[in-house]
Amino acid sequence: MDDDKKANAKSSKASTTKPVLVEVEPVKRGAIEEVLERSAALQAEEQVQVLARTQNPAIELLVEEGDHVEKGQVLLRLESDSQQTTYDQAMTQFEKARVEFERLEKLHKESLISESEYLNSKFAYDQARLQSDTAKRDLDYAAVRAPIKGTITSRSVKVGDKVTTGTPIFEIINLESTVAIVHAPEQYLPKLKKDMKARLISGTLGDQVFDGYIKRISPVVDAEAGTVKVVVGVKELGALSPGMWVKVELVLDENTEAILIPKRSITYAVDQTFAFKVQEDADGVRRAMRQLVVARNSDKDHIEPVDGFEEGELIVVAGQGGLKDESLIRELGELDTPSMSDESDKSKVPAPSGSPKTFGTKSTK
């Protein structure tokens, strides 16, 4: 008997509660990624300063800032008259020593000269060869060449300038070697793999996204910071350039058939996360049932829960701030169903004016 009273009391209370207006969406399946976000300044791994290796005036400038050059390409010519003369003289001496050495070598094989005479000839020949090599190298230094392929990013001399040994002349950057270096917390190390998918997002370029990949992972962990260095390469540099700051997203995991719930459906209580699922009884009455949300993955708009949700289930995405567990709800645009309290209130409404009044009569014997 007491149970019937409690059930009736609960039913009576529910019937007098006005449903909360909400917006709902179905649970869907889709793709979601586990992403680790970091930021870094782009830098080129191949970047060199081209220095003068001899002392001469500049006579011919062959490249300018912004030009692409290949390894070994001549960038600047210096005056080389003295180096050319020295080289010609060295080659003359070398040729003379070579002829003499070859003549004495034949005689030595026939035992017609002494061993010491043969060795002296060989020594003179070797010395002449070394001098010619040195002269050739000095002459080559008058033509300044690119040590790597890349783009000229800086030029610090012009035609007519006196160039001295060690003077910086050009800076060359191989833009194809541009990378972003980030530091990931060590707990992510088991998930990090070479060639793993990554993205670089540039705020300078209107949040344009560039495809990247993990190029290298440091084999050691920084003990003080508790991080590991990750080098992220760019597949196509496009408008990116060294020095730009970018947001780096490392895609640690990806599920193309994940159960997804919108982030805007989430509510919080203490340190737990919840969403309200829609439950409809046999009479068509809808209630909001609070469901704990434990996230496996999340992105900008969705959460992949560990469990508790199925594809096609309706969940509340707006209006959940006024909900409690088992609250009556109605969707936006749905007519409100009159409650029992509304019916009982009708008896208290005065009769319209103009309606006939009825008076009670006493019975007589």
Side-chain angles (χ1 to χ4, degrees):
M1 191 71 173
D2 291 340
D3 292 341
D4 291 341
K5 288 181 179 180
K6 289 180 180 179
N8 291 336
K10 183 177 180 180
S11 176
S12 175
K13 182 178 179 181
S15 66
T16 59
T17 303
K18 188 177 181 67
V20 178
L21 184 64
V22 297
E23 182 183 348
V24 300
E25 282 187 13
V27 176
K28 299 178 181 179
R29 283 190 181 273
I32 195 168
E33 300 171 333
E34 181 184 1
V35 174
L36 176 62
E37 294 186 355
R38 286 293 183 267
S39 61
L42 295 175
Q43 54 185 283
E45 293 191 292
E46 295 182 27
Q47 178 175 348
V48 296
Q49 289 277 349
V50 181
L51 306 179
R53 305 176 74 177
T54 188
Q55 181 170 317
N56 288 94
I59 60 172
E60 185 179 10
L61 183 64
L62 302 175
V63 295
E64 191 49 86
E65 291 178 357
D67 289 348
H68 179 79
V69 297
E70 296 294 331
K71 182 177 181 179
Q73 181 177 334
V74 177
L75 312 177
L76 175 71
R77 295 190 187 279
L78 305 178
E79 185 179 281
S80 59
D81 293 348
S82 61
Q83 284 89 348
Q84 185 66 56
T85 300
T86 301
Y87 173 70
D88 291 343
Q89 291 174 345
M91 286 301 297
T92 300
Q93 294 298 321
F94 171 70
E95 191 62 25
K96 178 181 178 181
R98 183 185 65 80
V99 171
E100 180 64 11
F101 171 70
E102 290 177 353
R103 184 181 71 83
L104 294 179
E105 187 177 34
K106 291 179 181 179
L107 295 176
H108 178 261
K109 289 179 179 179
E110 298 175 0
S111 301
L112 297 176
I113 61 172
S114 65
E115 183 72 18
S116 61
E117 191 174 2
Y118 166 74
L119 292 177
N120 288 336
S121 173
K122 185 176 185 304
F123 176 76
Y125 168 69
D126 291 339
Q127 286 294 105
R129 178 173 53 81
L130 290 174
Q131 290 176 0
S132 67
D133 290 344
T134 301
K136 178 66 167 60
R137 184 173 60 251
D138 291 342
L139 178 61
D140 289 342
Y141 286 164
V144 179
R145 299 177 182 273
I148 63 171
K149 75 170 184 177
T151 301
I152 304 294
T153 59
S154 174
R155 172 181 63 82
S156 55
V157 297
K158 60 182 183 296
V159 173
D161 285 353
K162 178 72 173 181
V163 177
T164 58
T165 304
T167 300
I169 304 174
F170 301 99
E171 180 184 64
I172 302 176
I173 295 179
N174 182 3
L175 298 179
E176 295 177 3
S177 72
T178 299
V179 297
I181 298 178
V182 299
H183 295 84
E186 62 180 296
Q187 62 263 33
Y188 292 100
L189 186 56
K191 294 186 176 183
L192 295 171
K193 299 289 184 294
K194 185 179 178 181
D195 296 324
M196 182 177 284
K197 180 180 176 181
R199 287 187 291 267
L200 296 89
I201 304 170
S202 171
T204 304
L205 303 174
D207 290 335
Q208 185 175 350
V209 179
F210 297 84
D211 292 333
Y213 63 98
I214 293 181
K215 191 174 183 179
R216 292 192 307 277
I217 303 169
S218 174
V220 297
V221 175
D222 187 322
E224 293 186 2
T227 58
V228 60
K229 184 173 77 170
V230 180
V231 180
V232 180
V234 189
K235 291 186 176 180
E236 291 187 14
L237 193 63
L240 293 176
S241 62
M244 281 186 174
W245 276 89
V246 294
K247 181 170 72 174
V248 179
E249 294 182 347
L250 304 178
V251 182
L252 304 176
D253 191 17
E254 186 174 13
N255 185 355
T256 58
E257 287 293 326
I259 290 290
L260 302 179
I261 61 174
K263 276 190 172 180
R264 62 194 189 109
S265 69
I266 297 300
T267 61
Y268 300 91
V270 190
D271 59 347
Q272 292 184 313
T273 304
F274 297 90
F276 284 95
K277 299 198 297 184
V278 177
Q279 187 178 82
E280 185 173 339
D281 62 20
D283 297 327
V285 177
R286 290 185 168 189
R287 298 178 185 277
M289 310 303 291
R290 195 169 72 162
Q291 174 65 49
L292 179 67
V293 177
V294 178
R296 175 181 286 117
N297 285 327
S298 65
D299 61 17
K300 180 180 176 183
D301 301 311
H302 297 93
I303 290 175
E304 178 191 5
V306 172
D307 55 23
F309 297 86
E310 295 183 4
E311 184 179 4
E313 284 185 318
L314 295 178
I315 58 173
V316 178
V317 295
Q320 64 268 42
L323 294 179
K324 296 181 180 179
D325 195 22
E326 299 189 12
S327 294
L328 291 175
I329 59 172
R330 68 183 179 91
E331 288 189 57
L332 188 65
E334 181 182 345
L335 293 177
D336 194 359
T337 304
S339 64
M340 289 179 63
S341 61
D342 296 333
E343 295 292 339
S344 62
D345 288 344
K346 288 180 181 179
S347 63
K348 300 177 183 179
V349 178
S353 58
S355 300
K357 295 183 180 180
T358 303
F359 297 92
T361 56
K362 293 182 180 180
S363 61
T364 56
K365 294 183 179 179

